Amino acid sequence: RMINDPKSAQFIAWTELGTSFVVSNVGEFSRSILGSHFKHNNFSSFVRQLNMYGFHKINRTPRAQRTSTDAQTWEFSHSKFLRGRPDLLDEIKRKALEPDPSIKHRIELPGEVSGSIHTSCCSWR
């Protein structure tokens, strides 16, 4: 809805081919548009949500020409997010959370009773 809303058109719009969308003037987009569609107006949170649903950022501004985040133009795409194809929206799913690699998964050792650990088997920790 946000992309097709005429009130948002100066900040967010489909690209010519309708295979991606562009957010321009990120600062004003965040202040004027995000809060009316989400519970926040934080652009970084918006981008995080897009990433969790499989959207990809397309770099449009060469590194040497990058300006402040507020003035940048960001483009996002998803193979199932296409102009004129609302029938595909149900196929956009939130990515499953990856397990945190810093958390060691507990392996039950022979002789352990499920849910408790014998102190004699834990000297290796």
Side-chain angles (χ1 to χ4, degrees), residues 10-41:
Q10 69 187 65
F11 303 112
I12 185 168
W14 290 104
T15 56
E16 188 176 337
L17 294 176
T19 57
S20 59
F21 66 94
V22 176
V23 176
S24 55
N25 193 342
V26 168
E28 193 57 36
F29 168 78
S30 298
R31 287 185 288 278
S32 303
I33 307 301
L34 277 182
S36 61
H37 293 275
F38 298 95
K39 294 179 183 178
H40 63 80
N41 62 355

PDB file of all heavy atoms in Angstrom, residues 10-41:
ATOM      1  N   GLN A  10       6.569  10.803  -3.650  1.00  0.00           N
ATOM      2  CA  GLN A  10       7.829  11.544  -3.779  1.00  0.00           C
ATOM      3  C   GLN A  10       8.961  10.895  -2.997  1.00  0.00           C
ATOM      4  O   GLN A  10      10.115  11.242  -3.180  1.00  0.00           O
ATOM      5  CB  GLN A  10       7.653  12.998  -3.366  1.00  0.00           C
ATOM      6  CG  GLN A  10       7.413  13.203  -1.879  1.00  0.00           C
ATOM      7  CD  GLN A  10       7.091  14.642  -1.559  1.00  0.00           C
ATOM      8  OE1 GLN A  10       6.065  15.159  -1.985  1.00  0.00           O
ATOM      9  NE2 GLN A  10       7.968  15.276  -0.822  1.00  0.00           N
ATOM     10  N   PHE A  11       8.633   9.904  -2.131  1.00  0.00           N
ATOM     11  CA  PHE A  11       9.653   9.253  -1.305  1.00  0.00           C
ATOM     12  C   PHE A  11       9.864   7.776  -1.622  1.00  0.00           C
ATOM     13  O   PHE A  11      10.934   7.241  -1.403  1.00  0.00           O
ATOM     14  CB  PHE A  11       9.288   9.373   0.180  1.00  0.00           C
ATOM     15  CG  PHE A  11       9.109  10.781   0.623  1.00  0.00           C
ATOM     16  CD1 PHE A  11       7.861  11.245   0.989  1.00  0.00           C
ATOM     17  CD2 PHE A  11      10.186  11.656   0.666  1.00  0.00           C
ATOM     18  CE1 PHE A  11       7.684  12.558   1.398  1.00  0.00           C
ATOM     19  CE2 PHE A  11      10.016  12.972   1.066  1.00  0.00           C
ATOM     20  CZ  PHE A  11       8.770  13.422   1.432  1.00  0.00           C
ATOM     21  N   ILE A  12       8.823   7.102  -2.096  1.00  0.00           N
ATOM     22  CA  ILE A  12       8.932   5.672  -2.384  1.00  0.00           C
ATOM     23  C   ILE A  12       8.104   5.374  -3.631  1.00  0.00           C
ATOM     24  O   ILE A  12       6.945   5.787  -3.735  1.00  0.00           O
ATOM     25  CB  ILE A  12       8.489   4.816  -1.173  1.00  0.00           C
ATOM     26  CG1 ILE A  12       8.727   3.332  -1.438  1.00  0.00           C
ATOM     27  CG2 ILE A  12       7.062   5.106  -0.767  1.00  0.00           C
ATOM     28  CD1 ILE A  12       8.581   2.444  -0.197  1.00  0.00           C
ATOM     29  N   ALA A  13       8.735   4.663  -4.576  1.00  0.00           N
ATOM     30  CA  ALA A  13       8.053   4.386  -5.838  1.00  0.00           C
ATOM     31  C   ALA A  13       8.656   3.152  -6.504  1.00  0.00           C
ATOM     32  O   ALA A  13       9.796   2.780  -6.237  1.00  0.00           O
ATOM     33  CB  ALA A  13       8.186   5.586  -6.776  1.00  0.00           C
ATOM     34  N   TRP A  14       7.873   2.545  -7.370  1.00  0.00           N
ATOM     35  CA  TRP A  14       8.367   1.432  -8.175  1.00  0.00           C
ATOM     36  C   TRP A  14       9.380   1.942  -9.179  1.00  0.00           C
ATOM     37  O   TRP A  14       9.280   3.086  -9.635  1.00  0.00           O
ATOM     38  CB  TRP A  14       7.217   0.783  -8.941  1.00  0.00           C
ATOM     39  CG  TRP A  14       6.254   0.018  -8.108  1.00  0.00           C
ATOM     40  CD1 TRP A  14       5.002   0.410  -7.727  1.00  0.00           C
ATOM     41  CD2 TRP A  14       6.453  -1.280  -7.543  1.00  0.00           C
ATOM     42  NE1 TRP A  14       4.412  -0.564  -6.966  1.00  0.00           N
ATOM     43  CE2 TRP A  14       5.282  -1.613  -6.839  1.00  0.00           C
ATOM     44  CE3 TRP A  14       7.508  -2.193  -7.563  1.00  0.00           C
ATOM     45  CZ2 TRP A  14       5.130  -2.825  -6.165  1.00  0.00           C
ATOM     46  CZ3 TRP A  14       7.361  -3.395  -6.897  1.00  0.00           C
ATOM     47  CH2 TRP A  14       6.189  -3.701  -6.210  1.00  0.00           C
ATOM     48  N   THR A  15      10.311   1.092  -9.556  1.00  0.00           N
ATOM     49  CA  THR A  15      11.203   1.428 -10.659  1.00  0.00           C
ATOM     50  C   THR A  15      10.408   1.274 -11.958  1.00  0.00           C
ATOM     51  O   THR A  15       9.284   0.749 -11.954  1.00  0.00           O
ATOM     52  CB  THR A  15      12.437   0.502 -10.699  1.00  0.00           C
ATOM     53  OG1 THR A  15      11.991  -0.856 -10.773  1.00  0.00           O
ATOM     54  CG2 THR A  15      13.325   0.719  -9.486  1.00  0.00           C
ATOM     55  N   GLU A  16      10.979   1.709 -13.055  1.00  0.00           N
ATOM     56  CA  GLU A  16      10.276   1.681 -14.339  1.00  0.00           C
ATOM     57  C   GLU A  16       9.787   0.275 -14.707  1.00  0.00           C
ATOM     58  O   GLU A  16       8.658   0.105 -15.168  1.00  0.00           O
ATOM     59  CB  GLU A  16      11.197   2.213 -15.445  1.00  0.00           C
ATOM     60  CG  GLU A  16      10.503   2.409 -16.771  1.00  0.00           C
ATOM     61  CD  GLU A  16      11.414   3.032 -17.814  1.00  0.00           C
ATOM     62  OE1 GLU A  16      12.396   3.686 -17.451  1.00  0.00           O
ATOM     63  OE2 GLU A  16      11.108   2.835 -19.007  1.00  0.00           O
ATOM     64  N   LEU A  17      10.610  -0.734 -14.460  1.00  0.00           N
ATOM     65  CA  LEU A  17      10.225  -2.103 -14.803  1.00  0.00           C
ATOM     66  C   LEU A  17       9.280  -2.742 -13.788  1.00  0.00           C
ATOM     67  O   LEU A  17       8.678  -3.775 -14.070  1.00  0.00           O
ATOM     68  CB  LEU A  17      11.472  -2.985 -14.949  1.00  0.00           C
ATOM     69  CG  LEU A  17      12.411  -2.644 -16.101  1.00  0.00           C
ATOM     70  CD1 LEU A  17      13.652  -3.541 -16.060  1.00  0.00           C
ATOM     71  CD2 LEU A  17      11.687  -2.783 -17.436  1.00  0.00           C
ATOM     72  N   GLY A  18       9.177  -2.151 -12.601  1.00  0.00           N
ATOM     73  CA  GLY A  18       8.292  -2.694 -11.576  1.00  0.00           C
ATOM     74  C   GLY A  18       8.838  -3.930 -10.880  1.00  0.00           C
ATOM     75  O   GLY A  18       8.090  -4.679 -10.266  1.00  0.00           O
ATOM     76  N   THR A  19      10.159  -4.129 -10.964  1.00  0.00           N
ATOM     77  CA  THR A  19      10.781  -5.289 -10.330  1.00  0.00           C
ATOM     78  C   THR A  19      11.492  -4.927  -9.032  1.00  0.00           C
ATOM     79  O   THR A  19      12.038  -5.801  -8.356  1.00  0.00           O
ATOM     80  CB  THR A  19      11.796  -5.954 -11.275  1.00  0.00           C
ATOM     81  OG1 THR A  19      12.763  -4.978 -11.664  1.00  0.00           O
ATOM     82  CG2 THR A  19      11.092  -6.518 -12.508  1.00  0.00           C
ATOM     83  N   SER A  20      11.489  -3.644  -8.701  1.00  0.00           N
ATOM     84  CA  SER A  20      12.096  -3.178  -7.452  1.00  0.00           C
ATOM     85  C   SER A  20      11.464  -1.834  -7.108  1.00  0.00           C
ATOM     86  O   SER A  20      10.708  -1.272  -7.896  1.00  0.00           O
ATOM     87  CB  SER A  20      13.614  -3.054  -7.588  1.00  0.00           C
ATOM     88  OG  SER A  20      13.963  -2.151  -8.617  1.00  0.00           O
ATOM     89  N   PHE A  21      11.781  -1.344  -5.900  1.00  0.00           N
ATOM     90  CA  PHE A  21      11.273  -0.030  -5.520  1.00  0.00           C
ATOM     91  C   PHE A  21      12.406   0.805  -4.964  1.00  0.00           C
ATOM     92  O   PHE A  21      13.415   0.293  -4.497  1.00  0.00           O
ATOM     93  CB  PHE A  21      10.103  -0.126  -4.529  1.00  0.00           C
ATOM     94  CG  PHE A  21      10.462  -0.677  -3.176  1.00  0.00           C
ATOM     95  CD1 PHE A  21      10.793   0.180  -2.124  1.00  0.00           C
ATOM     96  CD2 PHE A  21      10.458  -2.035  -2.938  1.00  0.00           C
ATOM     97  CE1 PHE A  21      11.106  -0.322  -0.874  1.00  0.00           C
ATOM     98  CE2 PHE A  21      10.766  -2.545  -1.692  1.00  0.00           C
ATOM     99  CZ  PHE A  21      11.095  -1.684  -0.651  1.00  0.00           C
ATOM    100  N   VAL A  22      12.222   2.105  -5.032  1.00  0.00           N
ATOM    101  CA  VAL A  22      13.243   3.061  -4.637  1.00  0.00           C
ATOM    102  C   VAL A  22      12.713   3.937  -3.511  1.00  0.00           C
ATOM    103  O   VAL A  22      11.564   4.395  -3.559  1.00  0.00           O
ATOM    104  CB  VAL A  22      13.640   3.953  -5.840  1.00  0.00           C
ATOM    105  CG1 VAL A  22      14.623   5.019  -5.440  1.00  0.00           C
ATOM    106  CG2 VAL A  22      14.196   3.100  -6.964  1.00  0.00           C
ATOM    107  N   VAL A  23      13.550   4.120  -2.496  1.00  0.00           N
ATOM    108  CA  VAL A  23      13.253   5.065  -1.416  1.00  0.00           C
ATOM    109  C   VAL A  23      14.232   6.211  -1.583  1.00  0.00           C
ATOM    110  O   VAL A  23      15.440   6.007  -1.594  1.00  0.00           O
ATOM    111  CB  VAL A  23      13.431   4.410  -0.025  1.00  0.00           C
ATOM    112  CG1 VAL A  23      13.202   5.445   1.069  1.00  0.00           C
ATOM    113  CG2 VAL A  23      12.507   3.228   0.141  1.00  0.00           C
ATOM    114  N   SER A  24      13.710   7.412  -1.724  1.00  0.00           N
ATOM    115  CA  SER A  24      14.585   8.579  -1.849  1.00  0.00           C
ATOM    116  C   SER A  24      14.351   9.511  -0.669  1.00  0.00           C
ATOM    117  O   SER A  24      13.312   9.460  -0.024  1.00  0.00           O
ATOM    118  CB  SER A  24      14.332   9.306  -3.171  1.00  0.00           C
ATOM    119  OG  SER A  24      12.980   9.644  -3.303  1.00  0.00           O
ATOM    120  N   ASN A  25      15.333  10.334  -0.394  1.00  0.00           N
ATOM    121  CA  ASN A  25      15.289  11.258   0.730  1.00  0.00           C
ATOM    122  C   ASN A  25      14.886  10.502   2.000  1.00  0.00           C
ATOM    123  O   ASN A  25      13.816  10.717   2.571  1.00  0.00           O
ATOM    124  CB  ASN A  25      14.350  12.417   0.447  1.00  0.00           C
ATOM    125  CG  ASN A  25      14.525  13.546   1.437  1.00  0.00           C
ATOM    126  OD1 ASN A  25      15.092  13.367   2.519  1.00  0.00           O
ATOM    127  ND2 ASN A  25      14.035  14.715   1.077  1.00  0.00           N
ATOM    128  N   VAL A  26      15.765   9.595   2.402  1.00  0.00           N
ATOM    129  CA  VAL A  26      15.505   8.681   3.518  1.00  0.00           C
ATOM    130  C   VAL A  26      15.051   9.405   4.781  1.00  0.00           C
ATOM    131  O   VAL A  26      14.138   8.950   5.468  1.00  0.00           O
ATOM    132  CB  VAL A  26      16.773   7.827   3.786  1.00  0.00           C
ATOM    133  CG1 VAL A  26      16.670   7.074   5.083  1.00  0.00           C
ATOM    134  CG2 VAL A  26      17.015   6.880   2.627  1.00  0.00           C
ATOM    135  N   GLY A  27      15.666  10.531   5.092  1.00  0.00           N
ATOM    136  CA  GLY A  27      15.296  11.270   6.300  1.00  0.00           C
ATOM    137  C   GLY A  27      13.847  11.707   6.288  1.00  0.00           C
ATOM    138  O   GLY A  27      13.098  11.470   7.240  1.00  0.00           O
ATOM    139  N   GLU A  28      13.433  12.330   5.207  1.00  0.00           N
ATOM    140  CA  GLU A  28      12.048  12.801   5.107  1.00  0.00           C
ATOM    141  C   GLU A  28      11.082  11.631   4.969  1.00  0.00           C
ATOM    142  O   GLU A  28       9.982  11.654   5.526  1.00  0.00           O
ATOM    143  CB  GLU A  28      11.901  13.767   3.926  1.00  0.00           C
ATOM    144  CG  GLU A  28      10.611  14.546   3.924  1.00  0.00           C
ATOM    145  CD  GLU A  28      10.387  15.373   5.197  1.00  0.00           C
ATOM    146  OE1 GLU A  28      11.342  15.916   5.771  1.00  0.00           O
ATOM    147  OE2 GLU A  28       9.204  15.457   5.621  1.00  0.00           O
ATOM    148  N   PHE A  29      11.482  10.580   4.255  1.00  0.00           N
ATOM    149  CA  PHE A  29      10.674   9.359   4.155  1.00  0.00           C
ATOM    150  C   PHE A  29      10.402   8.804   5.546  1.00  0.00           C
ATOM    151  O   PHE A  29       9.272   8.456   5.879  1.00  0.00           O
ATOM    152  CB  PHE A  29      11.405   8.325   3.287  1.00  0.00           C
ATOM    153  CG  PHE A  29      10.817   6.941   3.344  1.00  0.00           C
ATOM    154  CD1 PHE A  29       9.665   6.638   2.630  1.00  0.00           C
ATOM    155  CD2 PHE A  29      11.417   5.946   4.092  1.00  0.00           C
ATOM    156  CE1 PHE A  29       9.124   5.361   2.672  1.00  0.00           C
ATOM    157  CE2 PHE A  29      10.888   4.665   4.140  1.00  0.00           C
ATOM    158  CZ  PHE A  29       9.739   4.377   3.426  1.00  0.00           C
ATOM    159  N   SER A  30      11.450   8.739   6.375  1.00  0.00           N
ATOM    160  CA  SER A  30      11.314   8.201   7.733  1.00  0.00           C
ATOM    161  C   SER A  30      10.380   9.061   8.569  1.00  0.00           C
ATOM    162  O   SER A  30       9.508   8.538   9.276  1.00  0.00           O
ATOM    163  CB  SER A  30      12.684   8.121   8.415  1.00  0.00           C
ATOM    164  OG  SER A  30      13.519   7.247   7.699  1.00  0.00           O
ATOM    165  N   ARG A  31      10.555  10.363   8.489  1.00  0.00           N
ATOM    166  CA  ARG A  31       9.742  11.277   9.296  1.00  0.00           C
ATOM    167  C   ARG A  31       8.288  11.338   8.818  1.00  0.00           C
ATOM    168  O   ARG A  31       7.367  11.392   9.631  1.00  0.00           O
ATOM    169  CB  ARG A  31      10.357  12.682   9.279  1.00  0.00           C
ATOM    170  CG  ARG A  31      11.629  12.812  10.110  1.00  0.00           C
ATOM    171  CD  ARG A  31      12.139  14.245  10.167  1.00  0.00           C
ATOM    172  NE  ARG A  31      12.711  14.703   8.905  1.00  0.00           N
ATOM    173  CZ  ARG A  31      13.969  14.440   8.497  1.00  0.00           C
ATOM    174  NH1 ARG A  31      14.768  13.709   9.254  1.00  0.00           N
ATOM    175  NH2 ARG A  31      14.412  14.900   7.353  1.00  0.00           N
ATOM    176  N   SER A  32       8.081  11.330   7.512  1.00  0.00           N
ATOM    177  CA  SER A  32       6.739  11.563   6.964  1.00  0.00           C
ATOM    178  C   SER A  32       5.925  10.308   6.677  1.00  0.00           C
ATOM    179  O   SER A  32       4.700  10.343   6.771  1.00  0.00           O
ATOM    180  CB  SER A  32       6.846  12.338   5.645  1.00  0.00           C
ATOM    181  OG  SER A  32       7.532  13.532   5.838  1.00  0.00           O
ATOM    182  N   ILE A  33       6.584   9.239   6.305  1.00  0.00           N
ATOM    183  CA  ILE A  33       5.856   8.082   5.785  1.00  0.00           C
ATOM    184  C   ILE A  33       5.878   6.871   6.719  1.00  0.00           C
ATOM    185  O   ILE A  33       4.844   6.272   6.989  1.00  0.00           O
ATOM    186  CB  ILE A  33       6.432   7.659   4.408  1.00  0.00           C
ATOM    187  CG1 ILE A  33       6.468   8.841   3.438  1.00  0.00           C
ATOM    188  CG2 ILE A  33       5.664   6.478   3.838  1.00  0.00           C
ATOM    189  CD1 ILE A  33       5.129   9.486   3.154  1.00  0.00           C
ATOM    190  N   LEU A  34       7.038   6.493   7.217  1.00  0.00           N
ATOM    191  CA  LEU A  34       7.156   5.251   7.983  1.00  0.00           C
ATOM    192  C   LEU A  34       6.192   5.160   9.159  1.00  0.00           C
ATOM    193  O   LEU A  34       5.546   4.128   9.352  1.00  0.00           O
ATOM    194  CB  LEU A  34       8.588   5.050   8.493  1.00  0.00           C
ATOM    195  CG  LEU A  34       9.568   4.441   7.504  1.00  0.00           C
ATOM    196  CD1 LEU A  34      10.929   4.260   8.167  1.00  0.00           C
ATOM    197  CD2 LEU A  34       9.064   3.129   6.947  1.00  0.00           C
ATOM    198  N   GLY A  35       6.084   6.223   9.938  1.00  0.00           N
ATOM    199  CA  GLY A  35       5.230   6.205  11.119  1.00  0.00           C
ATOM    200  C   GLY A  35       3.760   5.951  10.825  1.00  0.00           C
ATOM    201  O   GLY A  35       3.030   5.436  11.668  1.00  0.00           O
ATOM    202  N   SER A  36       3.323   6.257   9.628  1.00  0.00           N
ATOM    203  CA  SER A  36       1.915   6.028   9.299  1.00  0.00           C
ATOM    204  C   SER A  36       1.663   4.603   8.799  1.00  0.00           C
ATOM    205  O   SER A  36       0.514   4.200   8.647  1.00  0.00           O
ATOM    206  CB  SER A  36       1.427   7.047   8.264  1.00  0.00           C
ATOM    207  OG  SER A  36       2.165   6.944   7.075  1.00  0.00           O
ATOM    208  N   HIS A  37       2.718   3.832   8.574  1.00  0.00           N
ATOM    209  CA  HIS A  37       2.564   2.448   8.120  1.00  0.00           C
ATOM    210  C   HIS A  37       3.144   1.430   9.099  1.00  0.00           C
ATOM    211  O   HIS A  37       2.823   0.248   9.019  1.00  0.00           O
ATOM    212  CB  HIS A  37       3.232   2.268   6.756  1.00  0.00           C
ATOM    213  CG  HIS A  37       2.544   3.018   5.663  1.00  0.00           C
ATOM    214  ND1 HIS A  37       1.466   2.519   4.972  1.00  0.00           N
ATOM    215  CD2 HIS A  37       2.766   4.255   5.158  1.00  0.00           C
ATOM    216  CE1 HIS A  37       1.062   3.398   4.081  1.00  0.00           C
ATOM    217  NE2 HIS A  37       1.833   4.466   4.168  1.00  0.00           N
ATOM    218  N   PHE A  38       4.027   1.899  10.004  1.00  0.00           N
ATOM    219  CA  PHE A  38       4.673   1.021  10.974  1.00  0.00           C
ATOM    220  C   PHE A  38       4.603   1.656  12.354  1.00  0.00           C
ATOM    221  O   PHE A  38       4.250   2.822  12.483  1.00  0.00           O
ATOM    222  CB  PHE A  38       6.149   0.780  10.599  1.00  0.00           C
ATOM    223  CG  PHE A  38       6.311   0.085   9.278  1.00  0.00           C
ATOM    224  CD1 PHE A  38       6.517   0.817   8.117  1.00  0.00           C
ATOM    225  CD2 PHE A  38       6.247  -1.295   9.185  1.00  0.00           C
ATOM    226  CE1 PHE A  38       6.653   0.186   6.893  1.00  0.00           C
ATOM    227  CE2 PHE A  38       6.387  -1.939   7.965  1.00  0.00           C
ATOM    228  CZ  PHE A  38       6.595  -1.192   6.816  1.00  0.00           C
ATOM    229  N   LYS A  39       4.992   0.886  13.376  1.00  0.00           N
ATOM    230  CA  LYS A  39       4.966   1.400  14.748  1.00  0.00           C
ATOM    231  C   LYS A  39       6.196   2.246  15.054  1.00  0.00           C
ATOM    232  O   LYS A  39       6.418   2.603  16.199  1.00  0.00           O
ATOM    233  CB  LYS A  39       4.901   0.240  15.735  1.00  0.00           C
ATOM    234  CG  LYS A  39       3.609  -0.547  15.660  1.00  0.00           C
ATOM    235  CD  LYS A  39       3.617  -1.694  16.637  1.00  0.00           C
ATOM    236  CE  LYS A  39       2.357  -2.505  16.510  1.00  0.00           C
ATOM    237  NZ  LYS A  39       2.348  -3.658  17.409  1.00  0.00           N
ATOM    238  N   HIS A  40       6.993   2.552  14.061  1.00  0.00           N
ATOM    239  CA  HIS A  40       8.219   3.316  14.265  1.00  0.00           C
ATOM    240  C   HIS A  40       8.479   4.179  13.033  1.00  0.00           C
ATOM    241  O   HIS A  40       7.811   4.043  12.013  1.00  0.00           O
ATOM    242  CB  HIS A  40       9.410   2.373  14.496  1.00  0.00           C
ATOM    243  CG  HIS A  40       9.679   1.494  13.308  1.00  0.00           C
ATOM    244  ND1 HIS A  40      10.361   1.925  12.198  1.00  0.00           N
ATOM    245  CD2 HIS A  40       9.322   0.216  13.048  1.00  0.00           C
ATOM    246  CE1 HIS A  40      10.435   0.963  11.311  1.00  0.00           C
ATOM    247  NE2 HIS A  40       9.792  -0.101  11.804  1.00  0.00           N
ATOM    248  N   ASN A  41       9.458   5.046  13.129  1.00  0.00           N
ATOM    249  CA  ASN A  41       9.882   5.812  11.955  1.00  0.00           C
ATOM    250  C   ASN A  41      11.401   5.706  11.787  1.00  0.00           C
ATOM    251  O   ASN A  41      12.047   6.632  11.319  1.00  0.00           O
ATOM    252  CB  ASN A  41       9.413   7.266  12.035  1.00  0.00           C
ATOM    253  CG  ASN A  41       9.999   7.999  13.221  1.00  0.00           C
ATOM    254  OD1 ASN A  41      10.684   7.410  14.056  1.00  0.00           O
ATOM    255  ND2 ASN A  41       9.734   9.285  13.307  1.00  0.00           N
TER     256      ASN A  41
END
